[in-house]
Amino acid sequence: MPPPADIVKVAIEWPGAFPKLMEIDQKKPLSAIIKEVCEGWSLGSPENFALQIADATNFYITEKNRSDIKNGSILRLTTSPYQTAVQLHERIQSSSMDAKLEALKDLANASRDITFAQEFINLDGISLLTQMVESGTERYQKLQKIMKPCFGDLLSFTLTAFVELMDHSIVSWDTFSVAFIKKIASFVNKTAMDTAVLQRSLAILESMVLNSQDLYHKVAQEITIGQLIPHLQGTDQDIQTYTIAVINALFLKAPEEKRQTLCLDMALCLTLSPEMAHILAQKQLRSIILSNVIRSNTPINDEMAHQLYVLQVLNFNLLEDRMMTKMDPQDQAQRDIIFELRRIAFDVELEPNNSGSIEKRKSMYTRDYKKLGFINHVNPAVDFTQIPPGMLALDNMLYFARHHQDAYIRIVLENSSREDKHECPFGRSSIELTKMLCEILKVGELPSENCHDFHPMFFTHDRAFEEFFCICIQLLNKTWKEMRATSEDFNKVMQVVREQIMRALTAKPNSLDQFKSRLQNLSYTEILKIRQSERMNQEDFQSRPILELREKIQPEIMELIKQQRLNRLCEGTCFRKISSRRRQDKFWYCRLSPNHKVLHYGDLEESPQGEVPHDSLQDKLPVADIKAVITGKDCPHMKEKGALKQNKEVLELAFSVLYESDEYLNFIAPDKHEYCVWTDGLNALLGKEMTSEYTKSDMDTLLSMEMKLRLLDLENIQIPEAPPPIPKEPSNYDFVYDCN
């Protein structure tokens, strides 16, 4: 007879004694269980003791998390969180450097547990740590030369403990003094600083800026981009990542009126005040990131890719103001830009007011504006009242006319000499293209929490968006000619151009020239070939025998997909525990047992390189206990995290497993593919239908392949199990014909 569900069998350790095997009744109060354990080892004052998970985390068992105790768990009897907090509070104030260092190391490890953190914070531990940072470092400044490693470690563990404690969101960031901010900033501003200290200091500054508008202003007074740039010129990618994260945070929290002074689109140079713009432009932050980060020999990891993506998004979001600004048809300065477009295109000077009649001049302007491809030939300013793209379209047109003058004149004159029905209207095309590019680059949207989709080519030019537009407007004109389009085909041409741009961007070109070359290979003819190939691959035969064959094959294919999903669950996946500090996120791993009866899971110190063995994952969840799989905004961890709740991408990757009495195992998949694999696999385990988009895609692909194989005339033809051997190279290549 199986044991009751509320009874779990565990091993409990106590230093200097043999571990005990015990049965814990989960219905009993935790204090009664601890008392029973203490009596077994003849220990008095059970209120001074607690139970911990005996793994790398050393998390305390509380009434809230005691359901995490599973059969086979190893626990450790230890001092209570309060007693440990009191002891460490005293030890870190020791006069002995060695004792102090050891205490700070223990504090940094213990602070990851929220139960301990609460007790230590209640003892005013945060204030003690900030005082040690403010004044303690001065005290050991004289010892720094003779005890530099010890000094660095002392400061490093102090800051690590501070970061871990603050990560629990128990204490408000607004409580810290200017002196503390100045001290942290001084660690960043020093040219030679311990790597660990520098990492923690950058992390603290980022958190301060992101969590408090008041602290943003204080940090902005202490940190300049010029002082951060040397950290980007080093070779440590972690330091570079933290540095870009601080830059992103400063940029994200800058008031609206200052954002445009953070002249990122000119040289990716962020400023904290207008008077620094010139200095920072000289620093050429964009080129430093390009040469020292993007083009360095070190492969870019996921976190760096995310920070570069955020920087890219924030850069393009500077365009939002112009994108949402309507043109004022009565504004002479804005109208002068349109006159400039006309002047460059037709090489005409502005005529004086008395030259010719008003009607004649109006007629001449109307004729030229028609050649320029505006919808409103009389008053082209009206074309730019649509938002988006608003004034951004006019800015792009002027940039193209001034910086690519030959191409601009050629496009305008080419189209003005064609028959009316075949001309590609430059003005209308530029407005619609600008709108499309803003949609592709998601201008105006906040950065996604989980995205790493940065494009190196946008870091290769000071005016990347404008250059991007210039390449694409020439592509549009080329595609228009290849399609022999008329004005009725305008939307069709725009669809093809969008497809060309999206396919070229997928290749992640390293430069704008590579992007341009990629587009050259994606002509309209090539797009038609790709579409035809895709259409053939997705071909669906509609005759009755074929439909009957499909119905017969479909269950076999679905079973094959199910087995693949379950095999992937058996291999397991590393999941990220998203916190308020991305770069110090914890990892955990989950995998299905080979017999498909148990989910094994546990925390990891870092992302694994391969599969994690079952025996290293301490926690277990029997598949029989799973009641349901919940996805999206219904997941409890999405309801808890207000910031994440509003993030569409994170919502789309979230799912939870409901088991026992309203207990949940919460997941955030690393990407859409893993999300589909896991939700499909879990649904398959529960005997439910697999409904993900990847299941549909796999079904279509495999079914199409199987159908084509079965419809081939393969009777009496043996299909080999292994591919045929590759033939030897010929003795000579005389048979090769040189076309030249």
Side-chain angles (χ1 to χ4, degrees), residues 461-476:
H461 201 283
D462 296 342
R463 302 290 292 272
F465 184 80
E466 289 87 343
E467 288 293 324
F468 186 43
F469 168 84
C470 293
I471 293 171
C472 293
I473 192 65
Q474 293 177 74
L475 167 73
L476 193 155

Side-chain angles (χ1 to χ4, degrees), residues 477-524:
N477 189 63
K478 172 174 170 283
T479 302
W480 184 282
K481 288 189 288 185
E482 291 173 348
M483 292 178 67
R484 300 179 184 274
T486 63
S487 55
E488 289 80 12
D489 301 320
F490 187 86
N491 291 334
K492 291 180 183 177
V493 176
M494 294 305 294
Q495 288 172 7
V496 173
V497 170
R498 176 186 278 269
E499 186 173 346
Q500 290 171 313
I501 294 170
M502 294 300 291
R503 289 185 184 277
L505 286 176
T506 303
K508 293 289 183 72
N510 290 319
S511 67
L512 290 164
D513 286 338
Q514 282 188 18
F515 174 69
K516 195 171 182 178
S517 299
R518 177 72 179 149
L519 289 175
Q520 290 292 332
N521 297 328
L522 286 170
S523 64
Y524 175 58

Side-chain angles (χ1 to χ4, degrees), residues 42-303:
S42 302
L43 299 172
S45 304
E47 67 275 6
N48 292 333
F49 293 90
L51 291 173
Q52 277 181 332
I53 299 287
D55 60 12
T57 63
N58 293 328
F59 284 172
Y60 282 100
I61 301 296
T62 64
E63 291 291 353
K64 287 184 179 179
N65 66 11
R66 61 184 296 176
S67 59
D68 292 341
I69 304 174
K70 307 297 178 186
N71 281 317
S73 295
I74 301 175
L75 308 182
R76 181 186 298 117
L77 185 67
T78 185
T79 52
S80 68
Y82 173 75
Q83 290 295 324
T84 305
V86 170
Q87 292 168 11
L88 284 173
H89 196 275
E90 293 175 359
R91 287 172 56 201
I92 62 175
Q93 300 180 72
S94 170
S95 56
S96 165
M97 291 283 281
D98 290 337
K100 192 185 195 77
L101 180 61
E102 201 61 35
L104 286 167
K105 191 184 298 185
D106 292 343
L107 177 62
N109 288 327
S111 296
R112 291 179 297 176
D113 181 79
I114 190 169
T115 311
F116 167 83
Q118 186 69 68
E119 296 292 350
F120 189 78
I121 289 170
N122 289 343
L123 294 172
D124 213 14
I126 292 281
S127 296
L128 177 59
L129 290 177
T130 54
Q131 288 169 18
M132 289 171 64
V133 171
E134 289 175 26
S135 58
T137 50
E138 302 294 339
R139 182 179 168 189
Y140 303 118
Q141 201 77 27
K142 295 177 182 178
L143 299 173
Q144 187 175 0
K145 289 184 180 179
I146 57 174
M147 302 184 70
K148 188 171 183 178
C150 183
F151 170 80
D153 288 344
L154 270 174
L155 193 52
S156 170
F157 287 123
T158 304
L159 295 177
T160 301
F162 174 84
V163 168
E164 294 290 353
L165 290 168
M166 290 303 297
D167 194 35
H168 298 297
S169 302
I170 298 171
V171 178
S172 169
W173 283 94
D174 287 310
T175 57
F176 298 107
S177 66
V178 174
F180 178 70
I181 297 169
K182 286 179 179 288
K183 183 60 69 175
I184 297 297
S186 72
F187 301 147
V188 173
N189 293 336
K190 284 182 181 175
T191 52
M193 177 52 71
D194 180 82
T195 302
V197 173
L198 182 56
Q199 274 191 12
R200 305 298 182 274
S201 300
L202 288 166
I204 290 169
L205 290 176
E206 183 201 5
S207 294
M208 283 180 172
V209 172
L210 290 177
N211 287 285
S212 169
Q213 192 65 33
D214 184 49
L215 287 184
Y216 156 76
H217 294 289
K218 294 175 181 176
V219 171
Q221 291 173 0
E222 301 298 328
I223 294 291
T224 67
I225 304 305
Q227 290 161 327
L228 291 173
I229 279 176
H231 303 314
L232 292 173
Q233 294 173 316
T235 56
D236 189 321
Q237 190 169 114
D238 287 336
I239 295 295
Q240 292 173 327
T241 304
Y242 278 87
T243 303
I244 295 177
V246 172
I247 292 171
N248 287 339
L250 289 167
F251 190 89
L252 193 61
K253 287 294 180 177
E256 284 296 329
E257 64 272 13
K258 283 192 177 181
R259 262 186 208 173
Q260 293 300 329
T261 68
L262 306 183
C263 38
L264 191 58
D265 66 330
M266 287 299 294
L268 276 177
C269 292
L270 305 168
T271 78
L272 303 180
S273 58
E275 56 268 26
M276 291 188 61
H278 178 66
I279 300 171
L280 296 180
Q282 290 180 335
K283 293 290 184 181
Q284 293 184 337
L285 181 58
R286 175 194 60 76
S287 60
I288 289 170
I289 291 175
L290 181 65
S291 57
N292 292 278
V293 178
I294 296 174
R295 291 181 177 171
S296 72
N297 295 326
T298 307
I300 292 177
N301 60 33
D302 283 350
E303 188 51 44

Side-chain angles (χ1 to χ4, degrees), residues 377-500:
H377 306 151
V378 178
N379 186 6
V382 177
D383 290 12
F384 300 98
T385 56
Q386 172 195 349
I387 54 170
M391 287 295 292
L392 185 59
L394 187 58
D395 294 342
N396 284 339
M397 293 168 70
L398 183 62
Y399 181 90
F400 182 49
R402 285 178 171 172
H403 294 84
H404 299 270
Q405 195 170 110
D406 291 343
Y408 167 70
I409 293 172
R410 186 182 70 252
I411 287 176
V412 172
L413 296 184
E414 266 183 14
N415 288 290
S416 63
S417 62
R418 289 183 195 167
E419 294 179 33
D420 281 355
K421 64 177 184 177
H422 285 293
E423 66 179 8
C424 176
F426 173 73
R428 181 185 176 191
S429 299
S430 298
I431 292 168
E432 290 302 319
L433 179 64
T434 301
K435 183 179 178 181
M436 180 200 294
L437 297 183
C438 289
E439 290 171 358
I440 291 172
L441 298 176
K442 299 181 179 179
V443 174
E445 294 185 21
L446 286 175
S448 166
E449 185 73 23
N450 263 12
C451 189
H452 312 110
D453 189 26
F454 83 97
H455 294 275
M457 72 177 192
F458 291 132
F459 291 82
T460 62
H461 201 283
D462 296 342
R463 302 290 292 272
F465 184 80
E466 289 87 343
E467 288 293 324
F468 186 43
F469 168 84
C470 293
I471 293 171
C472 293
I473 192 65
Q474 293 177 74
L475 167 73
L476 193 155
N477 189 63
K478 172 174 170 283
T479 302
W480 184 282
K481 288 189 288 185
E482 291 173 348
M483 292 178 67
R484 300 179 184 274
T486 63
S487 55
E488 289 80 12
D489 301 320
F490 187 86
N491 291 334
K492 291 180 183 177
V493 176
M494 294 305 294
Q495 288 172 7
V496 173
V497 170
R498 176 186 278 269
E499 186 173 346
Q500 290 171 313

